[in-house]
Amino acid sequence: SKSHQAQFCKTTEKTMKFSTLAATILSSVATFTNAEGVTSLTAENYASLTDGKMVFIKFFAPWCGHCKKMAADWEKLAADWEGSEVGLIAEVDCTSEAKGDLCSDNGVNGFPTIKYGDPLELEDYEGGRGYEQLAEFAKENLKPFCSPSNLDLCDEEEKATIAKLQGMSVEELTQAIDAVDKELEEAEEQAEESIEKLQEEYEKIMHELEEKIKSAKKKYNYGTMKSIYMQKEKADGAKEEL
């Protein structure tokens, strides 16, 4: 809901770029859990820890008040899902250098930002921040899905796509990923250019509006007219008091 969306601390990050299924194939195994029992994701361990699982991730900053407020409920939720082979409750510290591009790539521009789903195609969570609401959402949404680790859940077309990617070399995958990244960057640049043009058009419209207002006020002696009106109104009020 909009009320929940408003409950975050502002920051600045670039918009989401692209993640690919091939990244999972290239991953290596690593683990890290913080003192509160919540899995901490970094650029280095993201692929390996999320491989084959649906995820529920909190992107936060240690100084953020809203993040601190929901910390206990998030820790409780993480404990519920500890050891699950299906779902993962985790968090990313967006102030840590270890985060790499996780926050910017996922369009995080406020804290806490909560996302869920396929770790390579995260979606925004817009529900409540309390434990009961989080737990119910996790129960309904953190379910097995098709991936290289869950081929039994894939249809024939999906299996063919995965097999094709697995048959590619690291160099071929890198080239394929770079090609898509380039296309997305170009799309981003085009969008930014369009926004700039809209901004210029907006400024032009506002300038024309200001000029029309000035012209109308001057044409009809608007300032003098209002001044005389206020004088007469004041005079009439004084007469009524007498």
Side-chain angles (χ1 to χ4, degrees), residues 168-183:
M168 296 171 68
S169 66
V170 172
E171 183 179 352
E172 289 172 330
L173 287 168
T174 299
Q175 291 176 349
I177 292 170
D178 288 345
V180 177
D181 283 342
K182 182 179 179 181
E183 184 175 330

Side-chain angles (χ1 to χ4, degrees), residues 16-27 46-48 50-52 102 105-106 118-122 145-148 161-162 164-166 168-182 184:
M16 184 175 182
K17 296 181 180 178
F18 181 77
S19 293
T20 177
L21 180 63
T24 302
I25 300 171
L26 296 174
S27 66
Y46 187 87
S48 60
T50 62
D51 183 19
L102 287 179
D105 281 359
N106 285 292
D118 181 337
L120 301 181
E121 295 182 44
L122 295 176
F145 67 101
C146 169
S147 73
T161 298
I162 291 173
K164 180 180 178 180
L165 287 172
Q166 289 176 324
M168 296 171 68
S169 66
V170 172
E171 183 179 352
E172 289 172 330
L173 287 168
T174 299
Q175 291 176 349
I177 292 170
D178 288 345
V180 177
D181 283 342
K182 182 179 179 181
L184 294 176

Side-chain angles (χ1 to χ4, degrees), residues 170-225:
V170 172
E171 183 179 352
E172 289 172 330
L173 287 168
T174 299
Q175 291 176 349
I177 292 170
D178 288 345
V180 177
D181 283 342
K182 182 179 179 181
E183 184 175 330
L184 294 176
E185 287 173 6
E186 290 175 352
E188 243 180 47
E189 290 173 0
Q190 291 175 359
E192 289 174 359
E193 289 176 2
S194 297
I195 292 172
E196 288 178 3
K197 290 180 181 178
L198 288 174
Q199 180 63 29
E200 291 174 359
E201 183 64 21
Y202 169 78
E203 292 175 356
K204 179 182 177 182
I205 292 172
M206 293 306 296
H207 177 71
E208 291 175 351
L209 175 61
E210 290 175 4
E211 291 301 314
K212 287 179 181 179
I213 291 173
K214 289 180 183 178
S215 177
K217 287 183 176 181
K218 183 176 181 181
K219 179 179 180 180
Y220 299 107
N221 297 304
Y222 186 72
T224 303
M225 191 187 303

Side-chain angles (χ1 to χ4, degrees), residues 114-144:
I114 304 174
K115 292 178 179 282
Y116 73 97
D118 181 337
L120 301 181
E121 295 182 44
L122 295 176
E123 299 179 50
D124 291 329
Y125 168 75
E126 299 178 349
R129 304 289 177 82
Y131 171 75
E132 295 298 333
Q133 295 161 307
L134 293 168
E136 182 63 26
F137 184 87
K139 180 180 178 181
E140 292 297 321
N141 291 276
L142 302 191
K143 299 177 180 180

Side-chain angles (χ1 to χ4, degrees), residues 88-106:
L88 173 69
I89 308 300
E91 61 186 21
V92 177
D93 181 352
C94 289
T95 67
S96 169
E97 291 184 5
K99 73 181 184 306
D101 295 327
L102 287 179
C103 300
S104 59
D105 281 359
N106 285 292

